[in-house]
Amino acid sequence: MDMKTLLGSRKISRQGLARRMLGIGTAVLLGSLAAGCDSGDKKGLTVGFSQIGSESGWRAAETKLARQGAEQRGITLKFSDAQQRQENQIKAVRSFIAQGVDAILLAPVVSSGWDEVLGEAKAANIPVILLDRQIDTPNVDLYLTAVTSDTIEEGRVAGRWLAGKVQGRDCRIVEIQGTVGASLVANRKKGFEEAIATAPNLHLVRTQSGEFTRAKGKEVMEGFLKAEAPGSICAVYAHNDDMMIGAIQAIKEAGLKPGTDILTVSIDGVPDIFKAMADGDANATVELAPDMAPRAYDILLAYRKDHAPPPKWVQTPSKLYEPDTAAAEYARRKDLY
Amino acid sequence: MSAFILIRLKAARPQLALLVLALLVNVFVAPGFLDLRLQDGRLFGGLIDILNRGAPVMLLAVGMAPVIATRGIDLSVGVIMAISGAVAAAGVNAGLAWPLAILAALATGLVCGLWNGLLVAVFRLQPIVATLILMVAGRGIAQLITEGRILTFTEPHLIAVAGATLAALPLPVVLALAAAGLTGLLVRTTALGLFVEAVGTNPRSSRLAGVHTSLVLGAVYVWSGLMAALAGLIATADIKGADANNAGLWLELDAILAVVIGGTSLYGGRFSIGRSVLGALVLQAMRTAILRAGLPPELNLVLMALVVAAVLTQQSPAFRPLAQSLLARFKNKEAQA
């Protein structure tokens, strides 16, 4: 199948665009309306979800899965998009409390400043589950559990795969980091370094920030290819798939074959990296599973049934995907993102 | 004509010196940086990389210089890049022929510029506020068009905007130089440049002298919008995808910096297209050197800030007498010893 037909299903129709515009403009309103419409089953749970926003394809997929998962379990979901602002999230949580929801899912935009509003939820006896990110608080009783990935483990999985892939061969690795200063970046770097430290044949020779974007990932990789002796880079590790997609283009434009001349491993599992793997341009990606909300629903249902508190941190698996399953995975994901 | 060029070159001595300095740093960082080779009818080498990577900011600076000369500022250019890129990508993915998609993207830039021009020239809003409106709202518009994800496309002609070769140079370089040349000719061989500078120096007296100030003001914002749309096309074609969240992010600040390094005052008045382009190249040369030096990425922004601070203080009128007196005192001491 060529790219054009693949993309065909994703093209934007005029109605689609108009619907989207309407959807953003009145996201909260429509969300609550929609929730109101399918609340026919009065016995089912009602869950409020305060989402950060829709800044990336991954987050849009997380939202989509939250809606699908709720529907499958007969849960009424009240959704609120905070548009990257903590005060909107605090307002949303307060409105969920006022509406008397059975539980609240919160994907916190920042890590601090939640004690007061979560205290209110606790006083109202509404369990809160954190999604995708942790918060800083001296009082961990304020939330039931946090469902997130282990970002250090993601780096380790990538490093271990590379060590296994090159076997004993000497390998000079370049790293494209995310935005400097993010804890996620420090962790993905740390985990990868841990995993390759055990293999003396793996050398991390250069590291530079690609700011999580395709354009910067491409520019940084161009720099690496120029700065290192021709043919001396054996593998590239990128903290997200988008930067790797940019890097793959840079490798191609330098006349090399990504996936063969230079091995690639990155993190996230967005559809386009599966497409690249299916085309033979990439070798591996570590998935950051977007199905955080369905996991939270299951924890919640189990907790309501047997009242045993779940562990404070539930880690989502960091699964590594290789080209053998890429075409199928791409087909499975392309409509999700 | 040659005398004309000589005078221009003389005026641009500080910027040229800076560029040479920045290039020397590159040579120091990566020996063989200045090597040029011709392969498959295209030039390759460090200098070409700087021109190619610097092309978007060069274009933005070409549009920004006249705006700043009218005592204005255009904060929306980075966002216009994102919108026009999104329009082009969505266009080809919806089956629009590539020339139409490119025209639509350029028209988008014109409309954005017209909006800014209307607010500044007709409604007399302060430029920083007027263009801030689009800067804040524009990314949302771009996200609506891309539905919040990176819109990948495979249309070869659109990709060629960044990938094609013309006269042995990458097409973005040719486009940027052509735009700079055309703008330079427009403002220097006609009275337009004089009008722009008059409006910036003293709007009231230039109006009384018969200059149609609103028209001049409106026109510079429209031109800036058009240049930004072209830059957006290049940035989008470069990564074969429209990234609404990141395309052109913060580049308005780079463009302003380039114009200021080019010796144009933010208080309006005299400006130079050529020197603004040199300013953009100085920035890109420094960035390339930092990316290739193999330093920790945490230092990227610090180094860039130090360089810019040094460049701008050196240009400050208050700094020169101070430096000269310090130098004289130092020489006196030496003579005494």
Side-chain angles (χ1 to χ4, degrees), chain A residues 175-181 185 189 206-211 220 224, chain B residues 290-291 294-303:
Chain A
E175 178 189 42
I176 309 178
Q177 300 186 21
T179 309
V180 173
V185 171
K189 181 170 177 58
R206 271 177 190 269
T207 178
Q208 185 49 258
S209 169
E211 295 169 25
V220 166
F224 286 160
Chain B
I290 291 170
L291 279 182
L295 297 168
E298 287 80 1
L299 286 177
N300 291 3
L301 297 175
V302 179
L303 281 176

Side-chain angles (χ1 to χ4, degrees), chain A residues 2-21:
Chain A
D2 71 331
M3 192 66 186
K4 205 152 195 174
T5 40
L6 280 175
L7 284 169
S9 59
R10 294 175 52 175
K11 75 180 176 192
I12 300 172
S13 66
R14 189 175 285 175
Q15 299 96 311
L17 188 63
R19 202 166 49 231
R20 173 87 187 162
M21 288 172 123

Side-chain angles (χ1 to χ4, degrees), chain B residues 252-336:
Chain B
E252 58 279 342
L253 301 183
D254 279 22
I256 294 166
L257 208 53
V259 173
V260 172
I261 291 176
T264 303
S265 160
L266 288 180
Y267 292 114
R270 271 195 306 182
F271 74 106
S272 158
I273 300 293
R275 278 180 277 151
S276 302
V277 167
L278 283 176
L281 289 176
V282 169
L283 285 177
Q284 185 58 41
M286 282 315 302
R287 183 163 298 130
T288 304
I290 291 170
L291 279 182
R292 294 185 186 181
L295 297 168
E298 287 80 1
L299 286 177
N300 291 3
L301 297 175
V302 179
L303 281 176
M304 204 69 193
L306 286 177
V307 171
V308 170
V311 167
L312 294 184
T313 36
Q314 176 266 333
Q315 285 182 0
S316 134
F319 174 78
R320 268 182 219 156
L322 193 74
Q324 270 160 9
S325 75
L326 277 176
L327 204 68
R329 209 179 294 169
F330 180 71
K331 270 185 185 156
N332 271 343
K333 264 194 191 152
E334 226 171 34
Q336 279 165 11

Side-chain angles (χ1 to χ4, degrees), chain A residues 220-290:
Chain A
V220 166
M221 192 66 208
E222 277 177 6
F224 286 160
L225 289 164
K226 295 269 160 59
E228 291 292 310
S232 73
I233 298 175
C234 133
V236 51
Y237 164 53
H239 287 191
N240 80 351
D241 290 335
D242 278 330
M243 293 191 291
M244 184 59 88
I245 290 163
I248 286 170
Q249 289 172 6
I251 296 169
K252 278 186 180 168
E253 283 168 23
L256 295 166
K257 194 151 174 15
T260 314
D261 296 331
I262 297 180
L263 299 172
T264 81
V265 57
S266 49
I267 301 175
D268 271 1
V270 303
D272 280 349
I273 199 75
F274 287 103
K275 172 96 180 63
M277 282 201 282
D279 294 345
D281 291 337
N283 299 104
T285 184
V286 182
E287 184 190 35
L288 169 62

